[in-house]
Amino acid sequence: MHKVDLLALEDRCTYEEPPACQSFCPLHVEARTMIQHIVAGKVGEARKTLDRHMPLAQLTGWLCEGACREHCLRHGLDAGINLPLLERYILQNSRSVKPFPMPASANRIATVGTSLAALVLAFDLSRKGHKVTLYETGPRGGALLSVVDRMPEGQLEGACSLVSGLGNSFEEAPAQTPDFLAKLLDENRVVFIDQGDPTVNPRALGLSPEELIADPVTRGSVKDRVFLAPASEIANPFLEAAAAGKKTVGSLDRLFQGVQPGIAREREEVFQTTLVVDTSDAIPIEPVIPADPLEFTPEEAKGEAARCLNCTCQICLSVCPHLRHYKGYPKKYAREMYNNVITAYGIHTANILVLSCAECNLCKEVCPNQAEVTFFVQKARKFMVDTNHMPAAAHEYALEDLLSSNAPGTGFFRLPPGENACQKIFYPGCQLVASRPQTTAQTYEYLNKTLKGVGLMSGCCGAPAKWSGRSVLTGTVAGEIKKVWSENGQPTFILACPSCSLFFKTELPEINTESLWEVLAGIVPDRPTVSMALTLHDPCASRYEEGIQKGARKIISSVAPSFSEQKYSGRLTKCCGYGGLAAHAQPELGMEYSIDTAQDGDAPLVSYCIVCRDRFKAAGFPSLHLLDLLFPEGDLSELMNRPMPNLSEKRDRRLDFRQQVLKSIWQEEVTDPPKIPYEIVIPPEIYELMEKRRILKGDVEAVIAEAAVHGPLFLNRNNGHSLASLRPRQVTFWVEYTIDEDGRYLVHQVWCHRMVAPGVPGEGAESPATLEGYARTGGRV
Amino acid sequence: MDPTLPDMDIEGWFCQKCNSPLTMVKVNVTYMGASFAVDLPSCANCHTTMIPDFLAFGKMLEVEKLLEDK
């Protein structure tokens, strides 16, 4: 995890970029915020926002000509927001906060001329404790006198009084001569020539044409200690003049602190923002025409403000429940995640932010700048594991499931029946076997019959280890697959699961693979047997796999030709929430993902990832797996509504799958795993609770097996219940039960904890996490 | 962890081995290197300790999560 990773993501996310109204405003007024305050009826807050960016707003605000309007994204749609009138509305309906007096500085500044730039300069500098003498070369206010009709009566005089009230002074200038300028430079640190004042004569002051060219950002002349306001003939004279005053203040701030005036002055001029706003859903709204052309009523102001599109880049947030859930955006998340992982000591509050990303890459695909959260999250997780900061509970359960899938007795490889070599290996993946064991077996038999020489390997590829950031475990699991591959003549793997395909591509690139969907697309006959409306879902792991997507479409169209597509499909498909083990780390958010994805489409969904299918059903959306259309285990309406198997059922079915196919396809003598010699009855509500608490049926069996030998730890005199516990790994399980007259164990309650308490059997001391060791024991106690 | 937990519902429970009632005893529970003293029901004779359901999925789980994020 390096800072460069943070910067890469920060640079690409433009969420914090200003909207065009702000970037094209010479003063960079935060109009978006200001307008939202008006919408909310908070005119005082709007005034604070205006005052923050617009110096001497009580004067400048009346002179804004709305340079932003032609850049407003409403401009092409109906008309740009009428900001000049909104600013006037704010000024008339609020009061500015009186500046807080600052300690006086010894710096003295003089202006020649008293037009807007000079007044803004004096106003801003005096708020920082500096004193300005404004030399009047003509009537006070300069060019402003020609526009007093644009503001309420007495506004200019009031602004001049405010400026002098802050400790500045107006003085009548003597004749404008080089000696006068020399005297000013002698008495002051800086002299500001306000060329916007028509009575100022810079040439008379002895300034050459070269000396009258100001640096556009610092406003500094080549003549030392002289700064310049622009002459008034430019397009937007008053806001440019105010900006010149403001920029000069920025230069003087630096100068007085011994810093070059040109340092860190990016984006002070108007600029093209890189903020991307999706206006495709924006509806045209006619601009509000005020009854009095010079003034908005409160209702008119609110109406006009309500037209604001409130431009922000919401593109990734609109498609990702994870990015929406934590009320931020990628740039902010990147900083939080980076700070979180590099913090050695302290609370890692952003752990959950790192762990609940589905690593599906949709954000990158929709982002105009391809800001990639997935890559960052993967690095963060790996760093957390490497520095021993990965919370054990987040992924342990999924990793144990991985290891149990590959444990002897569950995972297996067989050459094709009766053969001693194979060309291909069908690898259905751990989840398909657990959810559709019969369909998996039928698919294998079809492949072997049609293609010949196809072996079968059942297990987990290691994707959960990679998602969890565990590179050692990832390598170990991938290594086991590679061993089978190299010992059997390097056959091609036929992969049913898109996540396996992605995993093989990155972790086992030397193995030649084919997707089951591409293979079947080439061999299944057209047999349009399904007339019901169906909607195809592309699993997120197939995002970049056009071949797999095409194969799936060929298959579904051969069976159900009238299928439809989701709005978000192909490269833009959404995740079901299982990707990146998001649903393991944050089950509630995992369900948000499932619902968000499943509700895209009118008809029952068909996915070619069984986890997606099962999760959509768990979220309340009847769904099918693509293989259900080819090799159904039952009636389609039953399959569509079949619940997602729980964690214990998945493990049992993987075991059963092995037993069944070895017996029926390979005709092997298979010894069934030893059965516990008593019956355990777990009521459905306790089973449901166990699923939530991530307690397996096997865990309960282990506790009862222990109690059956050694007796329970505690008995309850009131209700006759027994209580037993066992700590088979990093978790202690407790089972409260009774034994009925038939010798059956009736389970009344089950709970567990990770904390260790001396006195609880098996809890002598905390032992280190031993996931790899757990693998060696065969996955179960 | 708050050492003064609410009254636990341990009524009726006794140690199967010693046939002794349970009494509240201060026990040091540990997790991820951190240690806390908590009152837990233990056998008055052999000190076998019980961790009740509401504690395991209440305060104890909260503290486990806090420590995992530490």
Side-chain angles (χ1 to χ4, degrees):
Chain A
M1 199 81 211
H2 298 291
K3 195 146 195 180
V4 67
D5 300 316
L6 170 68
L7 295 175
L9 180 51
E10 274 193 322
D11 283 353
R12 284 176 186 269
C13 175
T14 63
Y15 187 92
E16 291 176 1
E17 276 289 294
C21 53
Q22 187 178 347
S23 77
F24 283 101
C25 170
L27 294 169
H28 303 304
V29 170
E30 232 179 277
R32 182 180 60 189
T33 311
M34 203 167 72
I35 289 174
Q36 293 315 308
H37 286 316
I38 297 177
V39 171
K42 296 177 178 172
V43 186
E45 292 301 311
R47 178 61 183 267
K48 281 185 200 164
T49 307
L50 184 62
D51 282 343
R52 202 160 44 242
H53 299 276
M54 184 181 274
L56 203 57
Q58 47 272 71
L59 190 58
T60 316
W62 293 99
L63 302 168
C64 168
E65 281 125 348
C68 55
R69 292 192 70 182
E70 64 176 297
H71 301 283
C72 173
L73 294 187
R74 278 223 169 265
H75 180 61
L77 202 60
D78 32 56
I81 303 291
N82 193 341
L83 261 170
L85 271 194
L86 286 176
E87 283 165 347
R88 276 155 231 187
Y89 168 75
I90 295 169
L91 292 170
Q92 279 183 311
N93 292 282
S94 64
R95 296 173 67 176
S96 69
V97 179
K98 209 173 173 195
F100 191 75
M102 295 291 285
S105 84
N107 295 313
R108 297 212 57 86
I109 300 99
T111 75
V112 180
T114 57
S115 202
L116 184 61
L119 292 172
V120 160
L121 176 98
F123 176 79
D124 252 11
L125 283 175
S126 55
R127 290 199 300 173
K128 296 166 189 278
H130 309 302
K131 294 283 176 287
V132 182
T133 309
L134 299 101
Y135 286 93
E136 295 166 337
T137 50
R140 186 176 299 178
L144 296 169
L145 291 166
S146 63
V147 288
V148 283
D149 57 331
R150 286 164 63 177
M151 53 186 96
E153 206 180 327
Q155 199 73 10
L156 174 59
E157 292 76 8
C160 290
S161 302
L162 175 67
V163 167
S164 53
L166 289 167
N168 305 300
S169 57
F170 290 91
E171 284 189 22
E172 198 176 323
Q176 296 178 59
T177 63
D179 285 350
F180 173 52
L181 180 60
K183 181 173 173 285
L184 290 181
L185 284 168
D186 198 37
E187 293 170 353
N188 296 280
R189 278 199 72 176
V190 166
V191 175
F192 182 73
I193 312 291
D194 187 352
Q195 297 189 89
D197 185 332
T199 61
V200 170
N201 186 351
R203 302 297 298 274
L205 291 165
L207 292 164
S208 68
E210 293 73 31
E211 288 169 335
L212 289 175
I213 299 169
D215 179 282
V217 175
T218 65
R219 302 306 307 172
S221 159
V222 290
K223 186 170 175 67
D224 191 32
R225 296 191 291 125
V226 171
F227 289 79
L228 304 158
S232 59
E233 61 266 23
I234 57 166
N236 189 18
F238 289 107
L239 248 58
E240 286 293 345
K246 192 177 171 182
K247 285 174 187 171
T248 305
V249 172
S251 299
L252 301 192
D253 275 343
R254 289 167 174 78
L255 203 63
F256 296 158
Q257 290 177 44
V259 179
Q260 282 292 324
I263 298 289
R265 304 298 294 264
E266 294 81 17
R267 293 186 152 190
E268 286 201 18
E269 292 189 82
V270 296
F271 61 93
Q272 177 71 51
T273 179
T274 58
L275 180 73
V276 180
V277 184
D278 179 7
T279 56
S280 56
D281 291 337
I283 302 159
I285 305 170
E286 283 299 310
V288 174
I289 308 294
D292 175 351
L294 294 176
E295 209 174 299
F296 272 143
T297 63
E299 291 70 32
E300 287 167 346
K302 270 196 176 187
E304 179 66 1
R307 292 174 60 239
C308 173
L309 293 168
N310 196 14
C311 293
T312 45
C313 184
Q314 298 273 348
I315 299 173
C316 61
L317 304 179
S318 71
V319 296
C320 176
H322 170 245
L323 296 178
R324 279 198 302 273
H325 188 84
Y326 297 100
K327 317 275 182 221
Y329 46 91
K331 189 168 190 162
K332 179 169 174 273
Y333 294 146
R335 288 194 287 260
E336 287 176 9
M337 290 194 275
Y338 180 77
N339 292 337
N340 187 69
V341 296
I342 61 162
T343 302
Y345 300 101
I347 301 293
H348 294 76
T349 48
N351 273 354
I352 196 66
L353 186 60
V354 177
L355 297 176
S356 50
C357 168
E359 299 190 6
C360 81
N361 262 326
L362 179 57
C363 53
K364 179 188 170 192
E365 284 311 306
V366 296
C367 175
N369 291 323
Q370 300 215 299
E372 192 179 1
V373 177
T374 298
F375 177 72
F376 194 81
V377 162
Q378 284 169 341
K379 283 207 154 193
R381 290 187 188 180
K382 187 172 178 313
F383 191 86
M384 284 161 74
V385 170
D386 293 347
T387 55
N388 211 19
H389 280 106
M390 178 63 90
H395 299 144
E396 193 177 48
Y397 214 79
L399 298 175
E400 284 177 4
D401 205 47
L402 179 172
L403 296 166
S404 92
S405 297
N406 291 348
T410 300
F412 67 95
F413 163 70
R414 287 292 183 278
L415 289 166
E419 294 181 39
N420 53 15
C422 65
Q423 303 300 313
K424 294 174 191 278
I425 293 177
F426 176 43
Y427 193 85
C430 56
Q431 301 293 331
L432 186 62
V433 164
S435 196
R436 294 285 193 270
Q438 291 169 38
T439 293
T440 311
Q442 285 184 60
T443 308
Y444 168 69
E445 289 190 287
Y446 178 76
L447 289 172
N448 191 35
K449 192 177 91 187
T450 316
L451 303 174
K452 313 286 184 214
V454 181
L456 178 64
M457 185 169 178
S458 177
C460 175
C461 65
K466 191 176 181 207
W467 282 329
S468 80
R470 286 162 212 268
S471 47
V472 175
L473 188 61
T474 305
T476 307
V477 179
E480 286 166 10
I481 296 173
K482 196 174 166 185
K483 188 163 174 278
V484 171
W485 172 72
S486 57
E487 285 174 357
N488 289 280
Q490 305 186 349
T492 297
F493 272 68
I494 299 174
L495 305 168
C497 168
S499 292
C500 292
S501 293
L502 195 57
F503 184 84
F504 271 66
K505 198 173 182 177
T506 55
E507 305 305 314
L508 293 161
E510 59 276 54
I511 297 184
N512 194 22
T513 65
E514 291 172 347
S515 161
L516 174 67
W517 314 109
E518 290 173 275
V519 172
L520 288 178
I523 55 177
V524 290
D526 273 358
R527 204 173 42 189
T529 49
V530 178
S531 56
M532 75 170 95
L534 295 170
T535 301
L536 185 68
H537 164 73
D538 291 307
C540 63
S542 72
R543 185 178 310 289
Y544 302 112
E545 304 298 330
E546 283 183 21
I548 299 181
Q549 294 168 15
K550 276 186 192 162
R553 278 160 183 75
K554 170 88 179 10
I555 293 164
I556 192 169
S557 62
S558 71
V559 186
S562 59
F563 81 98
S564 59
E565 300 262 359
Q566 287 187 298
K567 180 183 170 198
Y568 288 93
S569 65
R571 209 173 169 92
L572 295 180
T573 192
K574 291 183 175 179
C575 177
C576 70
Y578 193 77
L581 300 177
H584 272 274
Q586 237 274 43
E588 294 81 15
L589 182 57
M591 195 45 71
E592 274 184 51
Y593 273 104
S594 303
I595 294 168
D596 184 58
T597 305
Q599 65 193 7
D600 175 7
D602 304 325
L605 293 170
V606 181
S607 181
Y608 41 106
C609 167
I610 192 66
V611 176
C612 297
R613 186 267 97 38
D614 284 342
R615 291 189 59 81
F616 295 154
K617 175 57 195 149
F621 297 83
S623 306
L624 290 168
H625 187 257
L626 190 49
L627 283 178
D628 290 336
L629 301 179
L630 300 178
F631 310 107
E633 286 182 8
D635 177 63
L636 279 191
S637 60
E638 182 272 319
L639 287 170
M640 194 177 284
N641 289 297
R642 194 182 275 188
M644 175 167 78
N646 67 31
L647 296 155
S648 301
E649 286 167 344
K650 282 187 179 182
R651 291 200 181 190
D652 287 348
R653 288 193 194 168
R654 288 188 197 117
L655 272 171
D656 289 345
F657 174 73
R658 180 181 185 275
Q659 303 299 95
Q660 292 304 321
V661 296
L662 292 189
K663 270 190 223 168
S664 63
I665 302 178
W666 275 269
Q667 314 293 320
E668 288 183 21
E669 294 276 332
V670 184
T671 46
D672 287 331
K675 286 257 186 293
I676 44 170
Y678 30 77
E679 192 179 343
I680 297 174
V681 181
I682 304 176
E685 66 275 13
I686 299 289
Y687 222 144
E688 207 172 296
L689 189 73
M690 283 164 54
E691 182 77 1
K692 277 190 193 146
R693 293 179 168 184
R694 298 185 177 173
I695 299 169
L696 293 173
K697 195 171 94 218
D699 297 323
V700 175
E701 287 170 358
V703 176
I704 287 180
E706 170 80 7
V709 176
H710 301 291
L713 296 178
F714 304 102
L715 295 170
N716 194 308
R717 287 202 173 99
N718 296 346
N719 56 18
H721 289 189
S722 299
L723 182 60
S725 88
L726 188 71
R727 190 174 178 86
R729 47 185 193 277
Q730 298 304 301
V731 185
T732 299
F733 298 96
W734 294 82
V735 178
E736 191 176 330
Y737 62 93
T738 47
I739 305 173
D740 70 7
E741 58 270 24
D742 298 324
R744 298 185 307 171
Y745 285 74
L746 308 179
V747 176
H748 300 293
Q749 192 55 282
V750 182
W751 65 93
C752 64
H753 54 87
R754 291 171 173 273
M755 277 204 176
V756 173
V760 175
E763 294 195 358
E766 240 192 305
S767 53
T770 54
L771 268 170
E772 278 79 2
Y774 186 82
R776 284 195 296 276
T777 67
R780 302 281 336 132
V781 285
Chain B
M1 192 183 295
D2 181 4
T4 54
L5 287 161
D7 287 342
M8 291 185 191
D9 183 18
I10 54 164
E11 203 185 329
W13 288 106
F14 65 99
C15 176
Q16 185 265 149
K17 198 168 66 183
C18 312
N19 203 18
S20 301
L22 305 187
T23 54
M24 298 305 279
V25 174
K26 211 166 266 310
V27 174
N28 272 323
V29 297
T30 56
Y31 188 56
M32 297 189 76
S35 178
F36 308 87
V38 193
D39 284 327
L40 289 173
S42 297
C43 169
N45 184 43
C46 70
H47 308 301
T48 300
T49 303
M50 179 205 278
I51 296 184
D53 181 16
F54 75 86
L55 183 58
F57 276 90
K59 201 80 186 165
M60 203 172 234
L61 185 63
E62 268 176 47
V63 176
E64 282 176 6
K65 284 185 174 167
L66 272 176
L67 288 173
E68 285 182 341
D69 284 341
K70 204 177 163 197

